[in-house]
Short mmCIF file of all heavy atoms in Angstrom, two decimals:
data_model
loop_
_atom_site.label_atom_id
_atom_site.label_comp_id
_atom_site.label_asym_id
_atom_site.label_seq_id
_atom_site.Cartn_x
_atom_site.Cartn_y
_atom_site.Cartn_z
N ALA A 121 -40.20 16.58 19.55
CA ALA A 121 -40.23 15.74 20.75
C ALA A 121 -41.33 14.69 20.64
O ALA A 121 -41.14 13.53 21.02
CB ALA A 121 -40.42 16.59 21.99
N ARG A 122 -42.49 15.08 20.11
CA ARG A 122 -43.58 14.11 19.95
C ARG A 122 -43.19 13.00 18.99
O ARG A 122 -43.53 11.83 19.19
CB ARG A 122 -44.85 14.82 19.44
CG ARG A 122 -45.62 15.59 20.48
CD ARG A 122 -47.01 15.93 19.97
NE ARG A 122 -46.97 16.76 18.77
CZ ARG A 122 -46.96 18.09 18.77
NH1 ARG A 122 -46.97 18.74 19.93
NH2 ARG A 122 -46.94 18.75 17.64
N ARG A 123 -42.47 13.37 17.91
CA ARG A 123 -42.11 12.38 16.89
C ARG A 123 -40.97 11.49 17.33
O ARG A 123 -40.80 10.39 16.80
CB ARG A 123 -41.70 13.08 15.59
CG ARG A 123 -42.77 13.91 14.95
CD ARG A 123 -42.43 14.20 13.48
NE ARG A 123 -41.11 14.79 13.32
CZ ARG A 123 -40.88 16.10 13.23
NH1 ARG A 123 -41.87 16.95 13.35
NH2 ARG A 123 -39.65 16.55 13.03
N THR A 124 -40.15 11.95 18.25
CA THR A 124 -38.92 11.23 18.56
C THR A 124 -38.81 10.86 20.03
O THR A 124 -38.98 9.71 20.40
CB THR A 124 -37.69 12.07 18.16
OG1 THR A 124 -37.75 13.35 18.81
CG2 THR A 124 -37.66 12.29 16.65
N VAL A 125 -38.58 11.83 20.88
CA VAL A 125 -38.30 11.56 22.29
C VAL A 125 -39.46 10.88 22.98
O VAL A 125 -39.33 9.78 23.50
CB VAL A 125 -37.93 12.86 23.03
CG1 VAL A 125 -37.63 12.57 24.49
CG2 VAL A 125 -36.75 13.54 22.36
N GLU A 126 -40.64 11.53 23.00
CA GLU A 126 -41.77 11.00 23.74
C GLU A 126 -42.30 9.72 23.10
O GLU A 126 -42.71 8.79 23.78
CB GLU A 126 -42.87 12.06 23.83
CG GLU A 126 -42.43 13.26 24.69
CD GLU A 126 -43.40 14.42 24.61
OE1 GLU A 126 -44.49 14.23 24.02
OE2 GLU A 126 -43.07 15.48 25.14
N ALA A 127 -42.29 9.66 21.78
CA ALA A 127 -42.74 8.45 21.09
C ALA A 127 -41.87 7.27 21.46
O ALA A 127 -42.35 6.15 21.66
CB ALA A 127 -42.73 8.65 19.57
N GLY A 128 -40.57 7.50 21.59
CA GLY A 128 -39.65 6.43 21.95
C GLY A 128 -39.87 5.95 23.36
O GLY A 128 -39.72 4.76 23.67
N LYS A 129 -40.24 6.87 24.26
CA LYS A 129 -40.44 6.49 25.66
C LYS A 129 -41.74 5.74 25.87
O LYS A 129 -41.86 4.94 26.79
CB LYS A 129 -40.44 7.75 26.54
CG LYS A 129 -39.06 8.40 26.66
CD LYS A 129 -39.13 9.63 27.54
CE LYS A 129 -37.76 10.27 27.70
NZ LYS A 129 -37.81 11.50 28.54
N THR A 130 -42.75 6.00 25.01
CA THR A 130 -44.06 5.40 25.23
C THR A 130 -44.37 4.24 24.31
O THR A 130 -45.41 3.62 24.43
CB THR A 130 -45.17 6.47 25.05
OG1 THR A 130 -45.08 7.00 23.72
CG2 THR A 130 -44.98 7.62 26.03
N SER A 131 -43.48 3.96 23.37
CA SER A 131 -43.77 2.89 22.41
C SER A 131 -43.75 1.53 23.08
O SER A 131 -42.98 1.27 23.99
CB SER A 131 -42.74 2.91 21.27
OG SER A 131 -41.45 2.71 21.78
N ALA A 132 -44.62 0.66 22.62
CA ALA A 132 -44.68 -0.69 23.17
C ALA A 132 -43.48 -1.49 22.70
O ALA A 132 -42.93 -1.26 21.64
CB ALA A 132 -45.98 -1.37 22.70
N PRO A 133 -43.06 -2.49 23.50
CA PRO A 133 -41.92 -3.29 23.11
C PRO A 133 -42.18 -4.10 21.85
O PRO A 133 -41.30 -4.38 21.09
CB PRO A 133 -41.67 -4.18 24.33
CG PRO A 133 -42.96 -4.20 25.08
CD PRO A 133 -43.57 -2.85 24.83
N GLU A 134 -43.48 -4.50 21.65
CA GLU A 134 -43.82 -5.23 20.45
C GLU A 134 -44.15 -4.24 19.35
O GLU A 134 -44.74 -3.19 19.58
CB GLU A 134 -45.02 -6.16 20.68
CG GLU A 134 -44.76 -7.28 21.68
CD GLU A 134 -44.93 -6.80 23.11
OE1 GLU A 134 -45.55 -5.75 23.29
OE2 GLU A 134 -44.44 -7.49 24.01
N GLY A 135 -43.81 -4.58 18.12
CA GLY A 135 -44.14 -3.73 16.99
C GLY A 135 -44.32 -4.59 15.76
O GLY A 135 -44.15 -5.81 15.79
N GLU A 136 -44.67 -3.95 14.68
CA GLU A 136 -44.86 -4.66 13.43
C GLU A 136 -43.54 -5.25 12.95
O GLU A 136 -42.48 -4.66 13.11
CB GLU A 136 -45.40 -3.69 12.38
CG GLU A 136 -45.95 -4.36 11.13
CD GLU A 136 -47.30 -5.00 11.36
OE1 GLU A 136 -48.05 -4.52 12.23
OE2 GLU A 136 -47.59 -5.99 10.65
N ILE A 137 -43.63 -6.44 12.39
CA ILE A 137 -42.46 -7.07 11.79
C ILE A 137 -42.75 -7.27 10.31
O ILE A 137 -43.77 -7.86 9.93
CB ILE A 137 -42.12 -8.42 12.45
CG1 ILE A 137 -41.68 -8.19 13.90
CG2 ILE A 137 -41.03 -9.14 11.66
CD1 ILE A 137 -41.38 -9.48 14.64
N TYR A 138 -41.86 -6.76 9.47
CA TYR A 138 -42.00 -6.90 8.03
C TYR A 138 -40.89 -7.81 7.51
O TYR A 138 -39.73 -7.66 7.88
CB TYR A 138 -41.91 -5.55 7.32
CG TYR A 138 -42.99 -4.58 7.70
CD1 TYR A 138 -42.74 -3.56 8.61
CD2 TYR A 138 -44.27 -4.67 7.14
CE1 TYR A 138 -43.74 -2.66 8.96
CE2 TYR A 138 -45.27 -3.78 7.49
CZ TYR A 138 -45.00 -2.77 8.40
OH TYR A 138 -45.98 -1.89 8.75
N GLU A 139 -41.26 -8.72 6.64
CA GLU A 139 -40.28 -9.57 5.98
C GLU A 139 -40.50 -9.46 4.48
O GLU A 139 -41.61 -9.67 3.99
CB GLU A 139 -40.42 -11.02 6.44
CG GLU A 139 -40.03 -11.20 7.91
CD GLU A 139 -40.13 -12.65 8.35
OE1 GLU A 139 -40.65 -13.46 7.57
OE2 GLU A 139 -39.69 -12.96 9.47
#
Side-chain angles (χ1 to χ4, degrees):
R122 283 195 299 269
R123 298 198 307 265
T124 56
V125 181
E126 293 171 8
K129 290 180 179 179
T130 59
S131 60
E134 296 82 17
E136 194 75 28
I137 293 178
Y138 297 101
E139 293 182 351

